[in-house]
Amino acid sequence: MGIKPSEMTDEVWEYIFRGGPFPADTTIPKKHLDHLKSDFNYFYPFDIRSSGKDLIPNHLTFCVYNHAALFPEDKWPVSMRTNGHLMLNGKKMSKSTGNSLTMKDSVEKFGADVTRVVLADAGDGIEDANFEEKNANANVLRIHTLVQWCEVGICSLCAGKWAHGVCTGNDQRARQTEDWTEDLPRFGL
């Protein structure tokens, strides 16, 4: 837009952020200021600010104070959410110490479903979330066992037999019932 810092007077800021009158002495074209005002009104108020619990006494508090001091109430933050620190195997996760596991690395190592289960169980709210790799390893086996159990159960409902990952049943026999619980010990259930 080619606007110089010296052109951003208090009146210009009032027009953009507070709905004040268009500044009579500005050299900035009205269409440029209207564009800035439109962008501000599009993004404000922000719906949620999500941040770590360590920022409550400084950044998040001052965010509320600054918005209340500068903007009308309809532009104040709608909500804020805080969370605990992310830990890996009981230690604070930090790239500088080498104790880190990216989401991509976790999905490659354990799979997406296992990563979801372990993260869901890692911790809620403001408590520190602890991603335990031993839990991830244990959940790999649990999910694999659950999938096998479901496959056998579905196959048994159609009166087929499960062999080498294939159900030998057919849809015509799907109404028949069969006691498939004899397969459960095979899967550790």
Side-chain angles (χ1 to χ4, degrees):
M1 288 187 195
I3 300 172
K4 297 175 190 160
S6 59
E7 294 177 292
M8 297 300 292
T9 63
D10 287 345
E11 293 78 21
V12 168
W13 289 116
E14 282 288 322
Y15 179 73
I16 295 169
F17 290 142
R18 298 187 50 86
F22 184 79
D25 61 347
T26 187
T27 57
I28 304 169
K30 186 173 187 316
K31 69 176 185 175
H32 290 338
L33 292 185
D34 286 344
H35 181 79
L36 295 172
K37 186 177 192 174
S38 174
D39 284 354
F40 172 71
N41 287 321
Y42 177 81
F43 286 106
Y44 271 79
F46 60 83
D47 294 330
I48 187 167
R49 171 69 171 103
S50 185
S51 195
K53 66 182 179 181
D54 54 325
L55 296 180
I56 293 171
N58 50 43
H59 173 76
L60 296 176
T61 302
F62 281 98
C63 180
V64 172
Y65 290 160
N66 288 334
H67 281 81
L70 297 173
F71 303 128
E73 191 171 343
D74 66 327
K75 301 296 184 200
W76 291 359
V78 175
S79 64
M80 295 204 181
R81 179 192 178 282
T82 57
N83 52 269
H85 296 117
L86 195 53
M87 299 176 67
L88 179 62
N89 301 320
K91 297 178 184 168
K92 186 177 176 189
M93 197 181 294
S94 170
K95 286 190 278 185
S96 63
T97 63
N99 187 43
S100 66
L101 180 68
T102 67
M103 189 66 73
K104 181 181 176 187
D105 290 342
S106 181
V107 169
E108 287 174 2
K109 187 172 183 179
F110 304 110
D113 292 330
V114 169
T115 299
R116 285 185 194 106
V117 169
V118 176
L119 285 173
D121 193 40
D124 295 322
I126 203 161
E127 67 184 68
D128 293 340
N130 185 26
F131 188 100
E132 287 280 349
E133 289 182 292
K134 67 180 179 183
N135 290 346
N137 285 322
N139 278 306
V140 169
L141 181 59
R142 284 187 190 110
I143 289 177
H144 179 71
T145 301
L146 176 63
V147 169
Q148 285 185 320
W149 182 79
C150 290
E151 288 170 344
V152 168
I154 290 169
C155 181
S156 296
L157 290 175
C158 70
K161 296 293 180 191
W162 192 259
H164 308 292
V166 177
C167 177
T168 61
N170 62 47
D171 290 338
Q172 291 175 343
R173 296 190 300 179
R175 292 184 186 89
Q176 297 175 359
T177 59
E178 178 178 317
D179 184 12
W180 47 272
T181 56
E182 71 259 12
D183 288 323
L184 296 180
R186 191 174 83 178
F187 299 109
L189 300 171

